[in-house]
Amino acid sequence: MEAKRFAGKVAIVTASTQGIGFGIAERLGLEGAAVVISSRKQKNVDEAVEKLRAKGIEALGLVCHVSNKEQRKNLIERTVQKYGKIDVLVSNAAANPTANGILETSESVLDKLWDINVKVGILILQEAAPHLSKGSSVVLISSIAGYHPHASMAMYGVTKTALLGLTKGLAAELAPDTRVNCVAPGFVPTHFAESLTRDEGIKKELESKTLLNRLGTTQDMAAAVAFLASDDASYMTGETLVVAGGMPSRL
């Protein structure tokens, strides 16, 4: 990676020991950032940190279940204690515990979807905001499902729609010192999307919905996040970048 757009920068990426989150952390680290990664299990954190350090990336790994207030607070405090600031915050944590329709979804599942996919991103940013450097960047991870909620993941899609509005609201609130943007990934064959992409028939159907006739990769998503978080996007805030191979989203 020749570009070093994040040299001297500190980046936190939530839910980042595998999949899209890990890809983002790796990309930011390869471009010079000190990266702080987290997930619910210590074993996963340790393994991810080892992989990053093997590539010469400065990495700190912490256990953080994003719904746990003390662990969220610890994530921010430990980052600031070690590095003194936060330049990039990527809110990537998400849950999709149901394949039911919206009207069939229980209240407890509705609460979990809202809490993990929307509310905790706000709560982490409340903790982090006092430590964001001037010129810092926040990136929220939404989904193509936020534009067209799929029948089997409709309520998940609705929570991702909420992130599009949250991006606008936070961008206005944190301007001019911090930019806030959003990435809406298409379908990426990660563990999180395994229920869809492991079925060859469904996978082919999803590929056919793209103009590029392929699913996305974690590197595709990481590249988009790195762009938005970097000074290359210094005149962009409140925007959502759809990275979905041409799947329908908006005019």
Side-chain angles (χ1 to χ4, degrees), residues 68-173:
N68 184 304
K69 180 179 180 179
E70 291 305 314
Q71 291 183 6
R72 290 195 305 266
K73 184 177 180 181
N74 182 63
L75 176 67
I76 302 304
E77 287 183 347
R78 289 281 302 277
T79 300
V80 175
Q81 285 171 5
K82 181 160 186 176
Y83 299 113
K85 62 174 181 172
I86 302 168
D87 298 297
V88 177
L89 175 61
V90 181
S91 182
N92 176 62
N96 185 29
T98 182
N100 290 334
I102 294 173
L103 298 182
E104 299 170 342
T105 304
S106 68
E107 184 175 359
S108 63
V109 172
L110 288 172
D111 288 343
K112 181 174 182 178
L113 280 162
W114 184 258
D115 285 351
I116 301 298
N117 296 358
V118 182
K119 189 171 77 172
V120 297
I122 299 170
L123 295 175
I124 288 176
L125 192 51
Q126 287 176 350
E127 294 280 356
H131 309 288
L132 291 172
S133 61
K134 187 171 183 178
S136 57
S137 178
V138 174
V139 182
L140 308 183
I141 306 300
S142 178
S143 170
I144 189 68
Y147 290 95
H148 298 284
H150 190 274
S152 64
M153 51 196 298
M155 195 59 214
Y156 168 84
V158 171
T159 62
K160 291 299 188 175
T161 306
L163 295 184
L164 309 183
L166 182 60
T167 298
K168 295 286 189 185
L170 289 174
E173 191 165 324

Side-chain angles (χ1 to χ4, degrees), residues 1 4 23 32 36 41 74 94 96 107 136 148 186 190 195 203 216 222:
M1 192 69 64
K4 292 290 183 181
V36 180
K41 298 180 181 179
N74 182 63
N96 185 29
E107 184 175 359
S136 57
H148 298 284
T190 64
S195 61
K203 181 182 176 184

